[in-house]
Amino acid sequence: MGKQYETVIGLEVHVELATKTKIFCGCSTAFGGEPNTHTCPVCTGMPGALPMLNRQVLEYAAAVGLALNCRIPPLCKFDRKNYFYPDNPQNYQISQLYLPLCREGSIEIDTVQGKKTVRIHEIHMEEDAGKLIHETGVEQRDGQTQEDDIQEYSLVDYNRAGIPLIEIVTEPDMRSAEEVTAFLEKLRRIIQYLGASDCKLQEGSMRVDVNLSVREKGTEAYGTRTEMKNLNSFRAITRAIQGEQERQIHLLEEGKAVMQETRRWEDSKGESYGVRSKEDARDYRYFPDPDLMPVVVSRDWLEEIRSRQPELAEEKLERYRKEYQLPDYDIGILISSRHLATLFEETTALCGQPKKVSNWLMGDTLRLLNERGMEPEKLGISPEYLASLIRLVDEKIINNTVAKEVFQVMFDKGVDPKQYVEAMGLQTVSDEGILKQTLEKVIGANPKSVEDYRKGKEKAIGFLVGQTMKETGGKAEPGEVKRLLKELLDASV
Ligand code: ADP
Ligand code: ZN
Ligand code: MG
């Protein structure tokens, strides 16, 4: 039998913080501005310009640290990480090496074997780099395109330079792609709930580097690891882990060694290639940034941050089970977005029917969000209106089919359901007199179905109910229609 291997994974996760301004200057962090318009002497690295720490960055970073059960020492400071690259106008990145803000935290995840703790090594603050745009241009000199008219060139946009990041470094505690996914989903949910970042992998507000090694099962020492970058979806992360563990096991099986290196995962090809080995790893010559004061983190201030922490997803989970007696499936969906959870709680407080509210949110709301390609955060439904819609159904003023139509208009246009139902005359036809008239008309027009029913074909009644619903424009209560129909047909035998 072949050898058994175990995969060992540690992550380095960069998260862009949701501040309005950059980490060391007042420039906007808004996405999508014209290139180099959100810049100033500080974030373009002009000589003599002086950085000043944005207090909100510290608040978000500390809030994340507290939520990840970290120890936050009374002092932290910033260091310069020196390297030359055109997206980095200062020729150094301001980061934290020697005294990071947070240390020794942990997150508990659910795995197939039960609960498991993933330790956090540290969390530090740093600034993002600018963005390079590589282009190819053609400049004709004599009306014809010649080979040397084609120029490759790069442009640089410093709007992103100086956007605040936190880097969360885990211990090598994960053992599979499933555990990594569970960890990242939980981490993302915590940070989103804190409002510290939207954590979107695709858009780069959350970036994950995967460090992976394999070792023979039962051995204690870790194997040599590689680091994989360029992973911008959960799917890419999972595939990269699977690909890399196979590659390393294959090397070991052939008696070869794994080289410590950085690899770039190409998701389209389903393979990775080495980009930098340990030998040519850069020496960043870190040193304390002389332009920035050490940051004293007072205990009182930390307590204040802690006291402002909103209820996190896991706490909601427990409370929803007790308070609303909802199935875990419902709860999982409701708490997947803080916005959805808030809408649920506020609507339930108004109408007192948790399961009905949950059904609207899990069903029609998620379907429409999907169809419209919208994030739950963009949901504009007001709790008052959703509660009012539920009441309209409960009081049998409209039936379920009509309610679904009204819901859709409410979702898209934010109308008041009660007013809309009245304005459009969507109330259920509950007046027995009017309903009976319609039924008689339907009975008269469908002698064949009436005969079938009388011969004992129960199914024929379904057709007649359908015809009646059509006649009323869907505004009758099908149960009521059926009851009355039977009454009429049985009476006139
Ligand atoms: P460095 O400072 O050289 O980057 P670190 O100790 O900071 O190394 O580790 C970086 C990341 O690599 C961490 O997330 C850590 O958990 C992970 N890591 C370290 N050793 C291993 C290993 N043998 N296998 C897998 N991951 C590892
Ligand atoms: Zn600036
Ligand atoms: Mg490191």
Side-chain angles (χ1 to χ4, degrees):
M1 208 184 88
K3 288 178 184 162
Q4 295 274 307
Y5 292 91
E6 181 177 51
T7 303
V8 172
I9 303 166
L11 303 176
E12 290 161 286
V13 184
H14 284 91
V15 173
E16 230 175 59
L17 297 178
T19 54
K20 293 196 171 63
T21 56
K22 293 186 180 179
I23 181 167
F24 298 121
C25 62
C27 290
S28 165
T29 55
F31 185 76
E34 282 290 300
N36 299 305
T37 52
H38 301 164
T39 53
C40 73
V42 173
C43 58
T44 50
M46 295 296 153
L50 287 172
M52 199 168 92
L53 179 62
N54 178 342
R55 190 185 175 89
Q56 186 63 51
V57 172
L58 193 67
E59 288 206 24
Y60 279 147
V64 173
L66 290 174
L68 303 190
N69 312 302
C70 288
R71 178 168 72 78
I72 302 186
L75 193 81
C76 76
K77 62 186 183 61
F78 288 95
D79 304 296
R80 290 186 179 178
K81 179 180 182 179
N82 297 282
Y83 67 97
F84 174 77
Y85 202 66
D87 65 4
N88 169 31
Q90 297 162 140
N91 290 337
Y92 57 83
Q93 177 194 28
I94 305 178
S95 180
Q96 298 191 294
L97 179 71
Y98 302 106
L99 293 175
L101 178 66
C102 312
R103 292 171 183 266
E104 295 149 17
S106 63
I107 293 187
E108 200 172 67
I109 56 169
D110 290 311
T111 74
V112 277
Q113 288 99 4
K115 293 212 181 299
K116 165 171 189 169
T117 300
V118 174
R119 292 166 301 156
I120 307 290
H121 180 74
E122 67 168 73
I123 306 176
H124 62 256
M125 299 174 279
E126 59 188 30
E127 56 181 344
D128 208 349
K131 199 174 180 151
L132 288 177
I133 301 140
H134 304 287
E135 303 211 338
T136 306
V138 179
E139 193 193 344
Q140 293 176 343
R141 274 162 289 191
D142 53 8
Q144 282 177 307
T145 306
Q146 267 144 18
E147 209 180 315
D148 59 357
D149 292 339
I150 300 172
Q151 299 279 330
E152 294 201 352
Y153 59 95
S154 298
L155 300 168
V156 65
D157 177 4
Y158 290 127
N159 284 352
R160 204 179 63 186
I163 288 194
L165 300 174
I166 49 173
E167 180 176 346
I168 300 152
V169 184
T170 79
E171 297 293 347
D173 287 347
M174 285 154 277
R175 297 289 175 266
S176 65
E178 291 74 37
E179 290 186 11
V180 168
T181 304
F183 173 84
L184 288 172
E185 276 176 350
K186 184 145 183 195
L187 177 69
R188 183 169 69 167
R189 211 153 65 187
I190 291 172
I191 298 175
Q192 285 174 341
Y193 263 72
L194 293 171
S197 173
D198 57 12
C199 294
K200 288 185 185 157
L201 281 162
Q202 267 85 354
E203 292 174 19
S205 55
M206 186 177 197
R207 300 167 218 161
V208 181
D209 299 340
V210 173
N211 296 275
L212 186 150
S213 62
V214 297
R215 64 179 170 188
E216 221 179 299
K217 240 198 169 122
T219 53
E220 198 146 318
Y222 291 136
T224 305
R225 72 174 196 268
T226 61
E227 179 179 13
M228 279 184 295
K229 294 190 180 281
N230 194 36
L231 304 165
N232 54 15
S233 67
F234 279 103
R235 181 173 168 272
I237 290 168
T238 299
R239 278 160 44 94
I241 289 172
Q242 269 146 12
E244 183 59 11
Q245 65 195 17
E246 276 165 32
R247 193 188 68 88
Q248 290 189 13
I249 291 170
H250 189 73
L251 281 173
L252 297 183
E253 289 279 280
E254 285 192 320
K256 293 181 184 153
V258 173
M259 232 186 26
Q260 188 174 336
E261 63 181 352
T262 303
R263 299 180 68 84
R264 190 182 160 87
W265 173 256
E266 281 302 335
D267 202 44
S268 54
K269 300 201 184 91
E271 55 187 47
S272 65
Y273 55 90
V275 287
R276 198 172 351 118
S277 73
K278 199 189 177 189
E279 283 72 53
D280 42 63
R282 295 165 176 147
D283 178 354
Y284 294 113
R285 296 184 183 266
Y286 276 97
F287 66 86
D289 192 305
D291 288 341
L292 285 156
M293 299 290 283
V295 180
V296 177
V297 184
S298 87
R299 302 301 94 178
D300 288 351
W301 182 74
L302 270 187
E303 277 320 304
E304 204 186 303
I305 304 262
R306 202 194 291 277
S307 69
R308 269 191 269 134
Q309 178 180 291
E311 184 185 33
L312 295 176
E314 306 311 307
E315 296 159 348
K316 277 199 195 298
L317 181 99
E318 290 304 322
R319 184 165 65 83
Y320 281 21
R321 278 182 184 146
K322 286 201 203 95
E323 202 172 317
Y324 305 120
Q325 276 104 40
L326 288 175
D328 275 5
Y329 178 78
D330 289 42
I331 299 176
I333 291 175
L334 294 173
I335 65 172
S336 66
S337 139
R338 186 176 161 195
H339 189 77
L340 210 57
T342 306
L343 180 55
F344 166 77
E345 288 173 27
E346 291 179 359
T347 312
T348 303
L350 291 169
C351 71
Q353 308 213 62
K355 184 58 187 160
K356 285 185 184 165
V357 179
S358 162
N359 286 347
W360 277 112
L361 294 179
M362 295 197 309
D364 292 72
T365 307
L366 287 193
R367 177 178 58 80
L368 288 170
L369 282 174
N370 248 330
E371 282 175 23
R372 308 281 191 272
M374 275 165 67
E375 298 280 337
E377 278 62 40
K378 296 270 148 51
L379 251 180
I381 296 175
S382 85
E384 287 76 19
Y385 288 176
L386 183 52
S388 159
L389 182 69
I390 290 171
R391 218 172 291 125
L392 289 171
V393 179
D394 280 348
E395 290 168 1
K396 297 202 172 8
I397 295 170
I398 55 175
N399 65 28
N400 277 317
T401 321
V402 171
K404 278 177 181 289
E405 287 165 29
V406 175
F407 181 82
Q408 184 149 335
V409 184
M410 198 172 98
F411 182 99
D412 286 328
K413 305 209 175 93
V415 297
D416 177 340
K418 195 151 184 265
Q419 279 177 9
Y420 184 77
V421 164
E422 277 163 20
M424 305 297 281
L426 295 174
Q427 298 90 332
T428 301
V429 181
S430 53
D431 183 314
E432 264 200 37
I434 297 176
L435 204 52
K436 274 191 174 151
Q437 277 177 20
T438 314
L439 287 171
E440 269 154 13
K441 199 172 138 201
V442 170
I443 290 171
N446 297 284
K448 175 88 175 64
S449 298
V450 173
E451 206 187 310
D452 284 351
Y453 173 74
R454 293 220 166 107
K455 281 188 193 146
K457 272 201 199 166
E458 272 286 319
K459 267 193 199 154
I461 199 130
F463 175 76
L464 293 170
V465 171
Q467 290 304 104
T468 314
M469 290 302 291
K470 219 181 201 170
E471 276 292 318
T472 62
K475 293 185 297 185
E477 194 57 59
E480 180 69 3
V481 170
K482 188 169 175 182
R483 188 185 64 77
L484 272 177
L485 245 175
K486 279 194 163 174
E487 208 178 283
L488 282 175
L489 291 174
D490 295 346
S492 57
V493 171

mmCIF file of all heavy atoms in Angstrom, residues 8-12 169-172 211-213 222-223 225, ligand 1:
data_model
loop_
_atom_site.group_PDB
_atom_site.id
_atom_site.type_symbol
_atom_site.label_atom_id
_atom_site.label_comp_id
_atom_site.label_asym_id
_atom_site.label_seq_id
_atom_site.Cartn_x
_atom_site.Cartn_y
_atom_site.Cartn_z
ATOM 1 N N VAL A 8 -1.127 20.327 4.896
ATOM 2 C CA VAL A 8 -1.055 21.350 5.953
ATOM 3 C C VAL A 8 -1.173 22.715 5.292
ATOM 4 O O VAL A 8 -0.435 23.013 4.349
ATOM 5 C CB VAL A 8 0.290 21.239 6.703
ATOM 6 C CG1 VAL A 8 0.470 22.404 7.678
ATOM 7 C CG2 VAL A 8 0.376 19.905 7.441
ATOM 8 N N ILE A 9 -2.130 23.521 5.772
ATOM 9 C CA ILE A 9 -2.360 24.812 5.115
ATOM 10 C C ILE A 9 -2.413 25.953 6.121
ATOM 11 O O ILE A 9 -3.063 25.870 7.164
ATOM 12 C CB ILE A 9 -3.688 24.785 4.315
ATOM 13 C CG1 ILE A 9 -3.681 23.640 3.294
ATOM 14 C CG2 ILE A 9 -3.912 26.126 3.590
ATOM 15 C CD1 ILE A 9 -5.039 23.330 2.708
ATOM 16 N N GLY A 10 -1.726 27.028 5.800
ATOM 17 C CA GLY A 10 -1.836 28.281 6.551
ATOM 18 C C GLY A 10 -2.167 29.397 5.563
ATOM 19 O O GLY A 10 -1.743 29.341 4.413
ATOM 20 N N LEU A 11 -2.941 30.387 6.006
ATOM 21 C CA LEU A 11 -3.379 31.439 5.077
ATOM 22 C C LEU A 11 -2.835 32.808 5.459
ATOM 23 O O LEU A 11 -2.611 33.109 6.635
ATOM 24 C CB LEU A 11 -4.912 31.533 5.072
ATOM 25 C CG LEU A 11 -5.701 30.273 4.727
ATOM 26 C CD1 LEU A 11 -7.197 30.550 4.885
ATOM 27 C CD2 LEU A 11 -5.391 29.802 3.318
ATOM 28 N N GLU A 12 -2.647 33.627 4.441
ATOM 29 C CA GLU A 12 -2.402 35.050 4.643
ATOM 30 C C GLU A 12 -3.521 35.767 3.898
ATOM 31 O O GLU A 12 -3.654 35.624 2.686
ATOM 32 C CB GLU A 12 -1.031 35.436 4.095
ATOM 33 C CG GLU A 12 0.110 34.857 4.949
ATOM 34 C CD GLU A 12 1.433 34.819 4.226
ATOM 35 O OE1 GLU A 12 1.598 33.960 3.334
ATOM 36 O OE2 GLU A 12 2.295 35.653 4.537
ATOM 37 N N VAL A 169 -2.863 36.655 9.400
ATOM 38 C CA VAL A 169 -1.985 35.500 9.161
ATOM 39 C C VAL A 169 -2.395 34.377 10.106
ATOM 40 O O VAL A 169 -2.430 34.572 11.325
ATOM 41 C CB VAL A 169 -0.506 35.871 9.413
ATOM 42 C CG1 VAL A 169 0.407 34.688 9.074
ATOM 43 C CG2 VAL A 169 -0.106 37.108 8.619
ATOM 44 N N THR A 170 -2.710 33.216 9.551
ATOM 45 C CA THR A 170 -3.107 32.096 10.422
ATOM 46 C C THR A 170 -1.907 31.210 10.704
ATOM 47 O O THR A 170 -0.895 31.246 10.017
ATOM 48 C CB THR A 170 -4.188 31.197 9.771
ATOM 49 O OG1 THR A 170 -3.552 30.322 8.817
ATOM 50 C CG2 THR A 170 -5.280 32.003 9.112
ATOM 51 N N GLU A 171 -2.035 30.379 11.721
ATOM 52 C CA GLU A 171 -1.071 29.299 11.923
ATOM 53 C C GLU A 171 -1.422 28.203 10.914
ATOM 54 O O GLU A 171 -2.544 28.170 10.403
ATOM 55 C CB GLU A 171 -1.189 28.749 13.362
ATOM 56 C CG GLU A 171 -0.865 29.757 14.464
ATOM 57 C CD GLU A 171 0.600 30.185 14.478
ATOM 58 O OE1 GLU A 171 1.435 29.543 13.806
ATOM 59 O OE2 GLU A 171 0.914 31.189 15.164
ATOM 60 N N PRO A 172 -0.471 27.302 10.624
ATOM 61 C CA PRO A 172 -0.766 26.241 9.637
ATOM 62 C C PRO A 172 -1.683 25.174 10.216
ATOM 63 O O PRO A 172 -1.285 24.031 10.398
ATOM 64 C CB PRO A 172 0.619 25.683 9.278
ATOM 65 C CG PRO A 172 1.524 26.085 10.382
ATOM 66 C CD PRO A 172 0.950 27.287 11.050
ATOM 67 N N ASN A 211 -0.652 28.982 1.788
ATOM 68 C CA ASN A 211 0.619 28.301 2.029
ATOM 69 C C ASN A 211 0.307 26.831 2.275
ATOM 70 O O ASN A 211 -0.521 26.511 3.132
ATOM 71 C CB ASN A 211 1.307 28.863 3.273
ATOM 72 C CG ASN A 211 1.674 30.322 3.085
ATOM 73 O OD1 ASN A 211 2.721 30.631 2.544
ATOM 74 N ND2 ASN A 211 0.796 31.210 3.503
ATOM 75 N N LEU A 212 0.946 25.962 1.513
ATOM 76 C CA LEU A 212 0.573 24.548 1.588
ATOM 77 C C LEU A 212 1.804 23.649 1.572
ATOM 78 O O LEU A 212 2.747 23.887 0.814
ATOM 79 C CB LEU A 212 -0.348 24.230 0.401
ATOM 80 C CG LEU A 212 -0.996 22.854 0.300
ATOM 81 C CD1 LEU A 212 -2.335 22.961 -0.421
ATOM 82 C CD2 LEU A 212 -0.115 21.822 -0.381
ATOM 83 N N SER A 213 1.769 22.641 2.439
ATOM 84 C CA SER A 213 2.804 21.607 2.405
ATOM 85 C C SER A 213 2.118 20.268 2.642
ATOM 86 O O SER A 213 0.973 20.229 3.078
ATOM 87 C CB SER A 213 3.856 21.863 3.493
ATOM 88 O OG SER A 213 3.248 21.799 4.768
ATOM 89 N N TYR A 222 6.661 19.561 9.769
ATOM 90 C CA TYR A 222 5.998 20.034 8.563
ATOM 91 C C TYR A 222 6.898 19.818 7.354
ATOM 92 O O TYR A 222 8.117 19.880 7.466
ATOM 93 C CB TYR A 222 5.702 21.543 8.662
ATOM 94 C CG TYR A 222 4.647 21.899 9.670
ATOM 95 C CD1 TYR A 222 4.840 22.971 10.534
ATOM 96 C CD2 TYR A 222 3.454 21.188 9.741
ATOM 97 C CE1 TYR A 222 3.871 23.328 11.457
ATOM 98 C CE2 TYR A 222 2.483 21.534 10.668
ATOM 99 C CZ TYR A 222 2.688 22.607 11.525
ATOM 100 O OH TYR A 222 1.732 22.955 12.430
ATOM 101 N N GLY A 223 6.272 19.641 6.198
ATOM 102 C CA GLY A 223 7.034 19.570 4.952
ATOM 103 C C GLY A 223 7.362 20.970 4.467
ATOM 104 O O GLY A 223 6.981 21.968 5.088
ATOM 105 N N ARG A 225 6.892 24.206 2.305
ATOM 106 C CA ARG A 225 5.643 24.750 1.790
ATOM 107 C C ARG A 225 5.861 25.599 0.539
ATOM 108 O O ARG A 225 6.945 26.110 0.296
ATOM 109 C CB ARG A 225 4.987 25.626 2.852
ATOM 110 C CG ARG A 225 5.725 26.940 3.060
ATOM 111 C CD ARG A 225 4.941 27.825 4.006
ATOM 112 N NE ARG A 225 5.381 29.200 3.969
ATOM 113 C CZ ARG A 225 6.299 29.718 4.774
ATOM 114 N NH1 ARG A 225 6.912 28.945 5.647
ATOM 115 N NH2 ARG A 225 6.617 30.981 4.690
HETATM 116 P P1 ADP B 1 7.272 33.847 6.432
HETATM 117 O O1 ADP B 1 7.483 34.855 7.515
HETATM 118 O O2 ADP B 1 8.498 33.224 5.913
HETATM 119 O O3 ADP B 1 6.322 34.316 5.376
HETATM 120 P P2 ADP B 1 5.444 32.665 8.221
HETATM 121 O O4 ADP B 1 5.872 31.884 9.374
HETATM 122 O O5 ADP B 1 5.008 34.065 8.414
HETATM 123 O O6 ADP B 1 6.553 32.614 7.119
HETATM 124 O O7 ADP B 1 4.253 31.889 7.540
HETATM 125 C C1 ADP B 1 3.519 32.419 6.522
HETATM 126 C C2 ADP B 1 2.296 31.563 6.343
HETATM 127 O O8 ADP B 1 2.657 30.249 5.982
HETATM 128 C C3 ADP B 1 1.444 31.408 7.577
HETATM 129 O O9 ADP B 1 0.090 31.476 7.212
HETATM 130 C C4 ADP B 1 1.759 30.023 8.076
HETATM 131 O O10 ADP B 1 0.660 29.437 8.722
HETATM 132 C C5 ADP B 1 2.055 29.290 6.811
HETATM 133 N N1 ADP B 1 2.994 28.189 6.962
HETATM 134 C C6 ADP B 1 4.182 28.216 7.590
HETATM 135 N N2 ADP B 1 4.781 27.011 7.503
HETATM 136 C C7 ADP B 1 3.972 26.201 6.793
HETATM 137 C C8 ADP B 1 4.029 24.840 6.343
HETATM 138 N N3 ADP B 1 5.080 24.070 6.582
HETATM 139 N N4 ADP B 1 2.999 24.358 5.643
HETATM 140 C C9 ADP B 1 1.937 25.131 5.346
HETATM 141 N N5 ADP B 1 1.827 26.402 5.739
HETATM 142 C C10 ADP B 1 2.821 26.950 6.446
#
